[in-house]
Amino acid sequence: MQETKARISRFLELITSERFFYGMIMTVMISLPITEIFDELHSNRFTSQPVIIEMAGYLGVFSIFTHFLKHKGIKIYLSDLLFFAMLIISILSAVFTQNKEATFGGFYYDELLSSFFGYFSLMFAGTMIEDSKLRKNLLKAFVFVTLIQTSAAALQTVGIYNIEAFYDSVITMERKRSYGLLQHSNWYGGLSVLLFACTSGIYLFTKSKATRNIMYAISMLCFYTLLSAEARLAWVGTAGYLFFLVVSLIVMKRKGYDKDKLRSVTKRLALLAVGMAAVIAFVIIVCGKIVDKIQMTSNEISSHNARSVGSNRGYIWKYGLESVPKYWPLGIGLDNYRDVFYLDPDHEPPLTQGKGHNEYIHYLVTQGAFQLIAYLTLLIHGAVTGVRTVIHAEKDEDRIIEWILLGMFFGYTTQALFNSSVVNVAPYFWITLGMCLTKKHQRWLGYKKEKKAKKA
């Protein structure tokens, strides 16, 4: 009996350890693109990826609850409370949905309750990774994902692909847009911002000359496929990432960061900008892309029609926001955005959409104001924690890792203003967010009180 209890205790200790959470994240990151390849080889779409995230969700939730039940008296962090808050609100939103069939059935790229279990669990797992070596390994995993996705995307720009894009297939294939392994050029555009920020960030901050040269080449290839997706939201995300870099360098200069290191990073950033300009010129002049999108943007702005902005995103947002007053606490139902177009039975909408094309509006409309507040609080907490770490980290290694992660964070959250969360892209961001909030750099609840007591 004692031996059985000891074995159970060791097992529970194992599934609540840093190594376990690291293994869970690494498994998800590696398996998502690999299974996407095999799905396409068998003419399947959205088959393996939802299952992987579902498994990570159930396993993660079990491990996290075990973590708190087993380790009584441990320090509690704001990210922990937000994990539980978002988990509970998502469950309530699903239970009190206006359309149970859509919430629990879904189709294609819909996010189910298990998907959100996976997202939140991956975020929590990221907060548990404190070892700098493990954090660096996860950045390497992002590079691995970049190589797979950008290789597929680059081949698509010359007409080589495993399977045609499932969404907007005609125009995507005609214009040879890049869509990676994600079935939609917009989704690839959003993911490519995150991957470009990762690879270019490593290029900017690495000490190794060989790594620097390799990362420069990979980031330029990634940027080429980013532009070739012809997704304007990716331009916005890239602009947000570059703006973050410039501002962060100015801040670090004022904070007295090592001048030689700062000068080196600034020079590399200038070279990165030159490379990006060359890629833009190539895509416009040689590939004949982007120009149509620039003209479309100009026409939308000059039309002064808010509904047509961003390929009718204004129209989509309007319908969603009109439903908020009636369903504001828990939303119309978990990931049930399409239902907002049918609230008026006497009016048949000319266009419907299953996603809000703005992650923040989507959360508000489908899961309610409380979930949006929790999500925005988590994002703000991640940004504040990351910035504080970059400025005050004792080890330069910790500072650089956090700096790279923050660039990825700001790039993704900017493009999310015009994009949708989908199950084969969102997990990468939730992992990034969790890593920005590693508990080594967070302040636990009661930190200030304990600090004052020690001084006294």
Side-chain angles (χ1 to χ4, degrees):
M1 189 68 176
Q2 286 295 108
E3 187 179 347
T4 302
K5 286 184 177 180
R7 286 180 179 177
I8 293 173
S9 180
R10 285 195 297 271
F11 171 74
L12 295 179
E13 192 66 41
L14 174 66
I15 65 169
T16 59
S17 66
E18 179 184 27
R19 280 280 175 181
F20 171 81
F21 288 117
Y22 165 76
M24 185 176 86
I25 293 174
M26 186 65 79
T27 300
V28 169
M29 289 186 67
I30 299 300
S31 60
L32 282 177
I34 295 296
T35 54
E36 283 167 0
I37 292 173
F38 284 100
D39 279 352
E40 290 189 358
L41 289 174
H42 293 278
S43 300
N44 291 322
R45 301 173 176 89
F46 309 107
T47 304
S48 302
Q49 295 73 50
V51 176
I52 291 168
I53 300 306
E54 181 176 17
M55 290 170 64
Y58 292 135
L59 179 60
V61 168
F62 175 75
S63 300
I64 293 163
F65 273 87
T66 301
H67 169 75
F68 286 102
L69 292 172
K70 182 174 175 57
H71 303 104
K72 295 180 180 178
I74 61 173
K75 292 173 180 175
I76 304 296
Y77 297 81
L78 179 57
S79 61
D80 298 335
L81 296 183
L82 291 170
F83 163 81
F84 286 110
M86 295 189 74
L87 188 73
I88 292 168
I89 295 170
S90 66
I91 293 171
L92 292 175
S93 178
V95 170
F96 294 102
T97 179
Q98 304 302 306
N99 185 342
K100 285 184 168 56
E101 183 179 351
T103 292
F104 293 100
F107 71 98
Y108 293 126
Y109 57 84
D110 276 3
E111 295 167 302
L112 305 177
L113 182 58
S114 58
S115 305
F116 290 97
F117 282 11
Y119 299 162
F120 304 154
S121 295
L122 289 168
M123 183 278 296
F124 183 92
T127 69
M128 297 293 287
I129 314 302
E130 299 186 2
D131 188 310
S132 296
K133 184 178 179 181
L134 299 182
R135 285 161 63 77
K136 286 166 81 172
N137 286 345
L138 290 174
L139 284 179
K140 291 176 183 177
F142 272 109
V143 175
F144 172 79
V145 172
T146 305
L147 287 171
I148 293 181
Q149 291 285 359
T150 56
S151 295
L155 289 172
Q156 288 156 2
T157 64
V158 292
I160 302 173
Y161 48 86
N162 279 340
I163 193 170
E164 289 188 357
F166 191 61
Y167 296 98
D168 296 332
S169 177
V170 175
I171 190 169
T172 298
M173 307 317 294
E174 281 181 357
R175 294 191 58 79
K176 295 181 180 178
R177 289 177 177 172
S178 52
Y179 53 93
L181 302 168
L182 306 180
Q183 305 307 323
H184 197 296
S185 56
N186 273 2
W187 299 344
Y188 178 76
L191 177 60
S192 63
V193 172
L194 192 75
L195 300 180
F196 173 67
C198 175
T199 53
S200 62
I202 295 173
Y203 155 74
L204 289 173
F205 298 108
T206 186
K207 295 177 182 178
S208 167
K209 186 176 181 180
T211 302
R212 183 168 71 240
N213 292 337
I214 293 170
M215 286 301 107
Y216 185 81
I218 294 174
S219 64
M220 286 300 102
L221 177 63
C222 186
F223 186 62
Y224 163 70
T225 61
L226 180 154
L227 294 175
S228 296
E230 293 192 301
R232 289 177 289 175
L233 57 89
W235 307 354
V236 175
T238 304
Y241 165 59
L242 294 175
F243 179 76
F244 158 75
L245 284 179
V246 172
V247 171
S248 65
L249 288 174
I250 293 171
V251 170
M252 292 306 288
K253 182 179 181 180
R254 291 183 177 179
K255 292 293 181 179
Y257 184 58
D258 187 288
K259 291 182 180 179
D260 291 334
K261 290 180 180 178
L262 206 58
R263 192 180 297 113
S264 175
V265 174
T266 303
K267 287 181 179 178
R268 294 184 200 183
L269 181 58
L271 184 58
L272 183 73
V274 170
M276 292 172 67
V279 172
I280 291 171
F282 176 80
V283 170
I284 293 175
I285 298 170
V286 179
C287 304
K289 295 181 179 179
I290 297 181
V291 176
D292 289 350
K293 287 288 185 174
I294 294 173
Q295 185 61 50
M296 181 186 294
T297 304
S298 176
N299 292 340
E300 288 172 355
I301 294 172
S302 61
S303 71
H304 303 294
N305 183 355
R307 293 191 183 188
S308 67
V309 171
S311 302
N312 292 315
R313 277 169 172 74
Y315 165 87
I316 297 168
W317 298 341
K318 176 183 177 294
Y319 267 90
L321 293 173
E322 284 177 349
S323 73
V324 173
K326 186 175 181 180
Y327 302 105
W328 70 268
L330 295 171
I332 197 167
L334 192 77
D335 207 40
N336 287 3
Y337 201 95
R338 195 178 301 277
D339 287 355
V340 303
F341 297 95
Y342 300 104
L343 291 176
D344 183 357
D346 300 321
H347 178 67
E348 184 70 26
L351 170 71
T352 67
Q353 266 291 341
K355 293 288 185 179
H357 289 275
N358 177 306
E359 286 193 24
Y360 312 106
I361 292 176
H362 191 89
Y363 269 98
L364 173 62
V365 171
T366 60
Q367 297 188 49
F370 295 123
Q371 188 72 304
L372 177 63
I373 291 170
Y375 184 45
L376 292 178
T377 302
L378 184 63
L379 295 182
I380 293 168
H381 182 45
V384 170
T385 301
V387 169
R388 188 173 60 231
T389 303
V390 169
I391 295 173
H392 300 293
E394 294 180 5
K395 295 181 180 179
D396 208 43
E397 183 179 46
D398 288 337
R399 175 181 288 111
I400 289 172
I401 293 172
E402 198 75 12
W403 212 330
I404 294 169
L405 290 167
L406 269 181
M408 297 165 66
F409 169 89
F410 278 105
Y412 185 93
T413 52
T414 304
Q415 66 82 40
L417 291 166
F418 300 95
N419 206 356
S420 303
S421 171
V422 288
V423 76
N424 49 4
V425 176
Y428 298 112
F429 172 68
W430 285 95
I431 290 168
T432 302
L433 176 57
M435 290 176 67
C436 284
L437 285 167
T438 177
K439 288 174 178 174
K440 179 168 66 173
H441 298 148
Q442 280 193 74
R443 292 174 178 173
W444 61 90
L445 301 181
Y447 166 81
K448 291 183 178 179
K449 188 176 180 181
E450 186 175 317
K451 193 175 181 181
K452 284 181 180 179
K454 286 182 179 179
K455 284 184 177 180

